[in-house]
Amino acid sequence: MPNVLDLLASPGLDGLRPLVGPLDAVEVTGVRLEPRPDRLAALPAGTVAVLLAPVPGHLLDVAVRDAAAAGAAALVLTGVTQAPHGLPAEVTATARALAERGRVALLYADGDLAALVVAVERAVAGSAAEALARVAVAAREVAAAAGDPERVAAAAARALGVPVELRAAGPGEEGAAAAGPDGEIRLAAPPQPGHAGSAVRSVLVMAALAAAGGGHGDVPVRSRGRLLAELLAAPRDQAARLAARGRALALPVDGWHIALRVEAGGLDAADRPRALDAVMSQSLTLLRAWEGPAAPAVEAVQWNAALVDDALVLLSTWSGDPGADGRRAALARARRVVDRLAGLRPEAGLRCGVGSAHRGPLGIRTSAREARAAVPRVGPATVAAHDAVGLDRMLLEWYASDTAREAVAELLAPVLALGPERAEPLLRTLQCYLDHNNSPARAAEALHLHRNAVGARIRKVVRLTGADLDDPDVRLALQLACRAGLSAQHGGQTAAGGDEGRAPRP
């Protein structure tokens, strides 16, 4: 039986967008259109429940809890208002926590719900119609990637919903080969039963031929991944030559780039390349599945990946300057990818740094260099963004003095006295509120909370501390106190937005 992650690669399910919750925790056994969220507790285990109407935030908490108790695989929300940076406005922090704890995926869908249900049923049944649909999708996507073996293999894997690798098939595996300009192209995939097996065999033959052909004149057939790795590792004076090859292979070297660098610090040096290579395609699949407009004026993001010096570099590219919104979106996606992959490979000790936006071929190298510097080396943070202005470093130097730590402790003492679990959301909200110029709406958007919840938390902080937030000196002191404590805890690598911090412990 497929899980939700498998469904996302199935034909006809392009409109399903993951929100929160694990995608691979429960096998899907069926699908149901559900007009009444109060009946979710009676769902059969493994069901994908499609809600026919929007559910208000407080009722959604109950719906997620009931779906999780029933062992449902996913809950699909429809007709909800989308916040600019990802989650629908109705998805509360409680619903997100219940989805993660209850191992139920929250998805969003719009468009033809009847067609969505048919596509899910077809994918679960593994029928001949499903196999033909996968072959049809592969024919379109594989042809579009012709001449680039790695892209062809990735396109075939997405269409089939199984891993497709550039290597000779082993015993019991399905395989295909074709002669190309740089030698024989070989593809391998795990065997599948029945109609699915027929689809795998057909697509592998098609993919091998596509990977071996479709060249660009005299330009060698090179994968974008290998070329990106060369561009990152080669001397600066070779960047122009490599950029020209990248353009020939449709690698968008001339756009605006933000690099994500993922390292596997929990593994021995000899094991890191193999582990990162294994998660590279999963990372791209997740990033592309979660992709959405980073900002109203910014076009869709393109993603490419390369293995460089024992690290995985994931490169996001825009045609225009993504600005602060694009950087926040890249940071949010980095957190989601690392969280998901950490669940699959907990022993790897994955950590990720996020660079700033830079333009052109040299911008790729600059952003990748910043991402490398931003990777958290100590502390609980697993994802951090490049500190472009050095603010974190200055704050840490200031916070190192006894006077500064005493001032922070005194200023935040009434809140910290509540204990870590109650203080953390208050201080996290306070920092985000101050970072967004005392705007409850913008803070709520960044924290994925209702603005009333932000307002209530800020009023509680004011009541506890007696702080006058209309006084600019008081606002600055509180902002420094929150930022210094969070920077110290995260080893000087605080992330933009402050929504993943922990309460400072002076």
Side-chain angles (χ1 to χ4, degrees):
M1 289 290 182
N3 55 35
V4 176
L5 187 57
D6 298 327
L7 286 185
L8 294 175
S10 296
L13 294 176
D14 299 339
L16 271 182
R17 186 164 72 84
L19 300 176
V20 293
L23 302 177
D24 52 3
V26 178
E27 290 187 341
V28 178
T29 60
V31 60
R32 175 182 294 184
L33 285 172
E34 186 53 73
R36 293 179 50 186
D38 59 336
R39 299 194 303 198
L40 294 174
L43 289 173
T47 298
V48 173
V50 182
L51 297 175
L52 290 180
V55 180
H58 66 288
L59 293 180
L60 181 59
D61 297 346
V62 177
V64 174
R65 185 192 62 202
D66 289 348
L75 197 58
V76 181
L77 309 183
T78 60
V80 294
T81 303
Q82 293 291 300
H85 299 302
L87 294 173
E90 287 82 351
V91 178
T92 64
T94 301
R96 299 200 303 273
L98 287 169
E100 293 288 352
R101 262 200 320 270
R103 292 159 48 96
V104 58
L106 279 187
L107 311 174
Y108 174 72
D110 53 15
D112 189 340
L113 297 184
L116 182 147
V117 170
V118 170
V120 173
E121 288 180 336
R122 188 178 61 209
V124 173
S127 63
E130 167 71 4
L132 286 173
R134 289 186 179 276
V135 172
V137 171
R140 183 176 64 251
E141 296 195 358
V142 164
D148 186 333
E150 288 194 1
R151 282 187 67 219
V152 166
R158 287 195 301 273
L160 291 171
V162 299
V164 175
E165 300 179 7
L166 279 166
R167 58 174 177 81
E173 292 184 314
E174 301 290 355
D182 291 343
E184 190 173 53
I185 301 293
R186 298 179 178 181
L187 294 173
Q192 299 294 306
H195 300 297
S198 299
V200 168
R201 289 187 288 274
S202 300
V203 170
L204 285 182
V205 173
M206 183 193 314
L209 292 170
H216 303 270
D218 294 329
V219 179
V221 179
R222 306 278 302 274
S223 78
R224 287 181 178 83
R226 287 200 305 254
L227 184 60
L228 178 57
E230 272 194 66
L231 184 59
L232 291 170
R236 180 186 178 95
D237 58 4
Q238 296 182 22
R241 175 178 57 83
L242 293 170
R245 291 185 181 177
R247 295 183 190 102
L249 290 176
L251 182 69
V253 294
D254 297 310
W256 286 80
H257 314 283
I258 295 180
L260 281 57
R261 180 185 174 93
V262 180
E263 297 184 1
L267 300 176
D268 293 335
D271 296 329
R272 290 171 193 163
R274 184 168 61 252
L276 291 170
D277 185 52
V279 303
M280 180 163 58
S281 62
Q282 293 172 308
S283 302
L284 288 174
T285 297
L286 291 169
L287 287 166
R288 289 164 178 163
W290 291 330
E291 195 53 68
V298 177
E299 296 178 7
V301 182
Q302 296 184 54
W303 288 95
N304 288 280
L307 293 174
V308 184
D309 57 26
D310 291 347
L312 170 61
V313 175
L314 300 163
L315 186 70
S316 56
T317 303
W318 287 260
S319 60
D321 186 352
D325 284 341
R327 189 164 181 255
R328 280 193 290 269
L331 181 62
R333 292 185 180 98
R335 287 175 177 147
R336 296 174 74 178
V337 166
V338 171
D339 285 348
R340 185 68 65 237
L341 295 181
L344 299 175
R345 301 294 298 266
E347 77 285 357
L350 297 177
R351 290 175 178 260
C352 177
V354 181
S356 302
H358 296 276
R359 188 177 185 180
L362 294 180
I364 295 175
R365 297 159 63 95
T366 302
S367 188
R369 190 163 54 246
E370 292 175 349
R372 181 173 188 166
V375 176
R377 307 296 175 186
V378 295
T382 57
V383 179
H386 171 65
D387 178 17
V389 297
L391 177 61
D392 292 336
R393 184 175 64 254
M394 290 187 290
L395 282 173
L396 284 172
E397 291 174 359
W398 168 73
Y399 191 63
S401 71
D402 292 339
T403 302
R405 286 198 298 273
E406 289 173 3
V408 170
E410 181 178 349
L411 192 60
L412 301 180
V415 179
L416 296 173
L418 298 174
E421 290 188 2
R422 296 174 64 191
E424 177 183 334
L426 294 178
L427 293 177
R428 181 158 42 93
T429 304
L430 174 62
Q431 181 186 336
C432 194
Y433 176 77
L434 295 171
D435 285 349
H436 288 86
N437 297 320
N438 290 21
S439 169
R442 293 176 61 194
E445 179 183 298
L447 294 170
H448 302 305
L449 293 173
H450 194 282
R451 61 181 298 168
N452 290 346
V454 171
R457 291 182 182 182
I458 296 302
R459 287 193 295 273
K460 186 169 185 178
V461 170
V462 169
R463 187 169 65 252
L464 289 170
T465 62
D468 179 6
L469 296 186
D470 293 327
D471 186 329
D473 292 337
V474 173
R475 291 201 305 270
L476 177 60
L478 286 170
Q479 193 169 21
L480 287 173
C482 289
R483 278 190 171 273
L486 291 168
S487 293
Q489 187 181 24
H490 287 182
Q493 298 282 353
T494 51
D499 58 325
E500 293 294 330
R502 296 288 184 267
R505 288 167 174 77

